[in-house]
Amino acid sequence: MDHKKFMDIALAEAKTGLAEGGLPIGAILVENGKVIGRGHNKRVQDGNPVAHGEMDCLRNAGRRPNYRNTILYTTLSPCMMCSGTIVQFKIPKVVIGEAENFEGNIEFLKSRDVDITLLNDADCTVMMKEFIENNPELWNEDIAE
Amino acid sequence: MDHKKFMDIALAEAKTGLAEGGLPIGAILVENGKVIGRGHNKRVQDGNPVAHGEMDCLRNAGRRPNYRNTILYTTLSPCMMCSGTIVQFKIPKVVIGEAENFEGNIEFLKSRDVDITLLNDADCTVMMKEFIENNPELWNEDIAE
């Protein structure tokens, strides 16, 4: 499984969000090596506080009977909303770009038997670090801090 | 605080969803005694698996700096997606119509210091029981069982 190849697609989603004036967080859903959903944070673009990257991706992937064979890639460690969703939907594996700018809920996910791979991807980390430094209020709003 | 009065508004949302051919689960967000958001499950209507009643309500309430003085009313005990969202958004209080048809995550919410009131509302319970009996596949899809 070429995690970097898929993470770069999630990163491209994040950069699309940034170009739209939004928060640069992207996600894709992969099933048997195929991308079946992609999305990015749309808080600003849609005025929608629940449209985190992972949520937008799952919305775009549409209705499914189950998520048994899926992997969720996300550029940033999932918040509690997105982590709860991963557990509820029984997504078995999550690949995370980085957890340096936001720790997220990796231990919670592991405690619920979600397999986690943390890439420590420098491209994801630098992008998010710059964004938070330049947009602290928007970032704090997004994670309700 | 007249919980029944507000729960009846969430119940009306659920019934709107039922009339649209969707899952009958509704929610409202109240701040200082005023309804500031309302919504219902739109999995069927929008083909959107993350549009649970609570999520649709929070989407409709729009962007906010915080949820400090809000109460979320929901006709059915929240799933892990919606519970994670409540915790992430720091919604301090949740009033639940019923937890008989779906246990939800009341203990998880309490463990994260969310104040929970469970009404055991007969109108909510009967509505959901009938729906699940008549639509077991759709219900199972909605909670990813």
Side-chain angles (χ1 to χ4, degrees), chain B residues 80-140:
Chain B
M80 196 59 232
M81 168 171 67
C82 299
S83 298
T85 305
I86 290 160
V87 169
Q88 184 66 39
F89 286 19
K90 301 190 178 76
I91 295 172
K93 182 166 179 63
V94 178
V95 180
I96 298 171
E98 62 110 349
E100 200 173 305
N101 291 296
F102 182 64
E103 189 181 8
N105 297 274
I106 291 174
E107 291 313 312
F108 169 81
L109 288 167
K110 285 182 177 172
S111 78
R112 300 296 185 104
D113 296 324
V114 180
D115 180 40
I116 301 289
T117 298
L118 176 58
L119 298 183
N120 292 312
D121 184 284
D123 296 329
C124 292
T125 309
V126 169
M127 175 189 67
M128 201 62 210
K129 187 171 189 295
E130 280 184 12
F131 182 83
I132 292 173
E133 281 174 3
N134 294 326
N135 304 273
E137 284 188 17
L138 186 50
W139 166 243
N140 285 337

Side-chain angles (χ1 to χ4, degrees), chain B:
Chain B
M1 191 67 69
D2 187 348
H3 288 326
K4 178 63 179 163
K5 182 187 87 178
F6 286 121
M7 188 54 70
D8 281 347
I9 304 173
L11 188 63
E13 278 290 328
K15 287 181 175 170
T16 298
L18 187 63
E20 292 167 351
L23 290 127
I25 307 162
I28 65 169
L29 190 66
V30 173
E31 185 178 44
N32 301 323
K34 274 193 187 161
V35 179
I36 58 166
R38 47 195 295 168
H40 54 270
N41 188 301
K42 290 188 178 139
R43 171 178 291 272
V44 174
Q45 298 92 316
D46 293 353
N48 182 355
V50 300
H52 279 197
E54 301 91 322
M55 307 299 284
D56 187 53
C57 169
L58 292 168
R59 175 175 62 180
N60 291 334
R63 290 172 60 182
R64 303 178 52 80
N66 68 69
Y67 296 80
R68 205 173 292 149
N69 298 312
T70 64
I71 304 177
L72 182 69
Y73 287 78
T74 176
T75 57
L76 185 64
S77 186
C79 83
M80 196 59 232
M81 168 171 67
C82 299
S83 298
T85 305
I86 290 160
V87 169
Q88 184 66 39
F89 286 19
K90 301 190 178 76
I91 295 172
K93 182 166 179 63
V94 178
V95 180
I96 298 171
E98 62 110 349
E100 200 173 305
N101 291 296
F102 182 64
E103 189 181 8
N105 297 274
I106 291 174
E107 291 313 312
F108 169 81
L109 288 167
K110 285 182 177 172
S111 78
R112 300 296 185 104
D113 296 324
V114 180
D115 180 40
I116 301 289
T117 298
L118 176 58
L119 298 183
N120 292 312
D121 184 284
D123 296 329
C124 292
T125 309
V126 169
M127 175 189 67
M128 201 62 210
K129 187 171 189 295
E130 280 184 12
F131 182 83
I132 292 173
E133 281 174 3
N134 294 326
N135 304 273
E137 284 188 17
L138 186 50
W139 166 243
N140 285 337
E141 181 191 318
D142 198 54
I143 53 166
E145 282 300 334

